Amino acid sequence: MKIENYFKPKDLNEFFKMTQGHDHWKVVAGGTFVSRQKYVKVHTLIDIQELGFDYINDNGDLHIGSMVTFTEFIETNNDYANGTLLSSFAKCGPITVRNIATIGGNIMGGYYWNDTTPVLLFLEAKLVFLKESSEILEINVEDFINDRAKYKNMLLKEIILPEKYRNERVFFNRFARTESDIPTSIFLGGIVNGKNKIVIGASTVKPFAIISEDEITVEEIKAKAKEIHIMNDLRGSNEYKLKLINAQYKEYKETKDEN
Amino acid sequence: MKINFNLNGNDRTFETEPNEKVLDFLRRIGLKGVKRGCETGDCGACAIILDGKIINSCMLYTGQIDGHSITTIEGLGDNQNPHLIQETFVDEGAVQCGFCTPGMILATKALLDKTPNPTLEEIKNGLSGNLCRCTGYVKIEKAVVESAKKLGGKNV
């Protein structure tokens, strides 16, 4: 990266003025992701810490500002979805990362794939983007996952988690090689509105959901995983990841049967 | 570009470049207790305290600390007047090669300021961003426990 400018807008007007006048800009929202991008063409960094997106409003739906750090959310002890959100955020890197990395930054970061999108997909979260001239765009996480390039020059304001999941029990398991690494495999499972639901996230793979009235088998998960091409990467081979998913499924089934 | 922030208890103004990382900047101004390790946020050798929280200085640009408050190991104590946590790390033999030690001590300080009597689980979480290749962590964890006892719930 050849960074020549560093801007810190005081408000949205300033933000959009700055982004209009420059090509190759990137938002700094915590910084842990931008810092790792050594080979990306970025000339201007725009630090959004003064735009006021560091709020949590828990009134019906849960609204989390994009600049809330993982630690800030964890410190609220919010028990949304019986603590699923809390325990998944607590796994997003070691304390040195969670103290500075923001939830919005993690979503917008380009790693295949990040820590938060699988859990947000399971919980049917919505993302609120701001466009120029104060236009607001509210989309499902699933739409973001399927066409993320469309949103790369928009400003993520907040994440909305629907009230209907507030008391849901969700099985969550995240496996990573090291504490600070992105996950090799994430598994979420539960029964929502009387239907079985499983979400899988893994490095190199867009998170995907399977919903069925019948019990979901591990063969169905593997078939879907093969269909979307789980690939080899530095975190594990295709075969290794499928074995992990198999182990996570087994643990999920055991927990489910116990309950 | 100019940045203003509180460094080890003193309000300071510095000239920096937009692409300068906090790690590089702190070492440039002579604070060599901030160690250059992995530079990818994995090891914690470059850890500093930002507004009371332990973070990796390799992950931040200098513009991000403008208006904030940071503490490096030099802000805690020195050879003549070591901080109680520094003394305890020495007494407990929690130091071998010493490369991770500044980060470990700052992580301990941030932990004990917030949680004066931490459980072992809280200690492990508080030090989760700091890697040590020498000690196997047992003596470091003991040093945190002993520091907590000596501080007796006080923030120092």
Side-chain angles (χ1 to χ4, degrees):
Chain A
M1 281 196 291
K2 192 171 181 247
I3 299 157
E4 287 160 356
N5 306 297
Y6 191 99
F7 295 135
K8 201 184 278 186
K10 301 271 182 232
D11 55 40
L12 287 172
N13 282 340
E14 259 189 46
F15 174 84
F16 287 118
K17 216 178 272 180
M18 286 167 182
T19 53
Q20 268 179 344
H22 295 270
D23 290 329
H24 308 303
W25 55 270
K26 197 148 199 69
V27 163
V28 179
T32 57
F33 170 67
V34 177
S35 298
R36 283 175 181 246
Q37 289 188 310
K38 290 185 178 163
Y39 309 108
V40 178
K41 199 174 177 183
V42 176
H43 293 169
T44 301
L45 292 177
I46 303 184
D47 183 338
I48 61 167
Q49 62 176 289
E50 290 182 10
L51 295 187
F53 296 161
D54 53 353
Y55 55 86
I56 298 171
N57 295 330
D58 193 2
N59 191 7
D61 293 344
L62 173 61
H63 295 247
I64 305 174
S66 61
M67 285 296 283
V68 171
T69 65
F70 288 105
T71 294
E72 282 164 350
F73 186 84
I74 292 161
E75 285 177 350
T76 65
N77 275 321
N78 192 300
D79 65 349
Y80 181 87
N82 272 300
T84 304
L85 208 53
L86 202 64
S87 46
S88 72
F89 287 176
K91 288 270 189 180
C92 290
I95 192 166
T96 40
V97 170
R98 296 194 306 265
N99 279 345
I100 198 76
T102 62
I103 297 163
N106 189 265
I107 293 167
M108 296 302 285
Y111 274 107
Y112 274 85
W113 262 86
N114 61 31
D115 307 74
T116 47
T117 47
V119 69
L120 296 179
L121 177 65
F122 191 97
L123 299 170
E124 297 181 50
K126 290 185 187 304
L127 304 179
V128 178
F129 287 95
L130 298 179
K131 296 163 76 179
E132 283 172 53
S133 67
S134 307
E135 201 182 326
I136 296 171
L137 185 68
E138 190 177 305
I139 62 157
N140 296 322
V141 166
E142 194 173 2
D143 294 333
F144 174 77
I145 290 169
N146 290 330
D147 194 5
R148 56 174 294 128
K150 197 168 145 187
Y151 307 98
K152 78 170 185 181
N153 284 339
M154 292 185 202
L155 184 61
L156 179 62
K157 178 177 181 276
E158 66 174 12
I159 301 105
I160 305 175
L161 290 130
E163 190 174 13
K164 69 174 181 176
Y165 278 93
R166 179 163 300 277
N167 298 315
E168 289 291 346
R169 288 202 174 275
V170 183
F171 172 88
F172 169 79
N173 186 277
R174 176 193 194 271
F175 183 87
R177 281 184 322 167
T178 66
E179 191 133 3
S180 59
D181 201 5
I182 62 168
T184 310
S185 177
I186 289 180
F187 188 108
L188 294 118
I191 297 170
V192 181
N193 297 331
K195 290 182 179 172
N196 290 285
K197 183 174 185 178
I198 283 174
V199 165
I200 304 288
S203 55
T204 75
V205 172
K206 289 180 182 180
F208 62 88
I210 302 175
I211 300 168
S212 172
E213 287 189 1
D214 303 321
E215 191 77 35
I216 298 166
T217 64
V218 74
E219 284 73 27
E220 281 175 82
I221 299 170
K222 283 181 178 175
K224 180 77 177 169
K226 278 178 185 158
E227 184 188 311
I228 59 166
H229 302 300
I230 288 191
M231 290 185 290
N232 302 324
D233 66 1
L234 290 171
R235 284 162 194 88
S237 64
N238 174 344
E239 190 186 358
Y240 178 75
K241 289 176 198 172
L242 289 174
K243 291 270 184 205
L244 272 183
I245 292 169
N246 202 37
Q248 289 172 313
Y249 177 82
K250 200 175 161 197
E251 205 176 314
Y252 166 58
K253 282 285 288 168
E254 282 168 7
T255 311
K256 203 173 161 209
D257 292 344
E258 276 170 24
N259 294 331
Chain B
M1 66 182 199
K2 267 197 174 58
I3 57 167
N4 302 294
F5 67 101
N6 187 287
L7 174 61
N8 293 330
N10 301 305
D11 290 333
R12 305 286 300 268
T13 301
F14 289 95
E15 195 67 41
T16 68
E17 294 297 319
N19 65 344
E20 191 169 24
K21 295 282 182 63
V22 174
L23 163 65
D24 300 316
F25 162 72
L26 292 171
R27 290 183 63 83
R28 174 165 68 79
I29 63 169
L31 300 174
K32 299 289 175 67
V34 188
K35 300 298 179 195
R36 189 186 302 283
C38 66
E39 295 187 74
T40 53
D42 291 294
C43 75
C46 67
I48 59 170
I49 298 175
L50 172 71
D51 297 337
K53 292 192 162 81
I54 191 79
I55 58 115
N56 295 310
S57 62
C58 69
M59 304 302 282
L60 294 183
Y61 290 97
T62 50
Q64 290 178 269
I65 61 169
D66 183 37
H68 294 270
S69 172
I70 70 170
T71 305
T72 68
I73 194 70
E74 290 85 354
L76 251 64
D78 56 28
N79 286 345
Q80 280 70 47
N81 296 296
H83 188 276
L84 186 144
I85 298 172
Q86 290 172 305
E87 279 181 342
T88 310
F89 266 63
V90 174
D91 293 345
E92 294 299 325
V95 178
Q96 276 185 241
C97 85
F99 198 76
C100 73
T101 309
M104 286 288 182
I105 287 172
L106 288 169
T108 303
K109 168 94 169 72
L111 170 69
L112 297 183
D113 280 350
K114 193 163 167 288
T115 314
N117 296 301
T119 61
L120 188 57
E121 195 184 338
E122 285 167 333
I123 292 171
K124 284 179 190 293
N125 180 50
L127 304 184
S128 61
N130 297 77
L131 302 184
C132 172
R133 293 184 65 182
C134 310
T135 66
Y137 302 99
V138 175
K139 291 188 173 183
I140 292 173
E141 286 162 9
K142 178 92 190 311
V144 180
V145 172
E146 291 305 315
S147 297
K149 278 184 198 164
K150 288 179 189 171
L151 286 167
K154 288 181 295 202
N155 291 353
V156 180

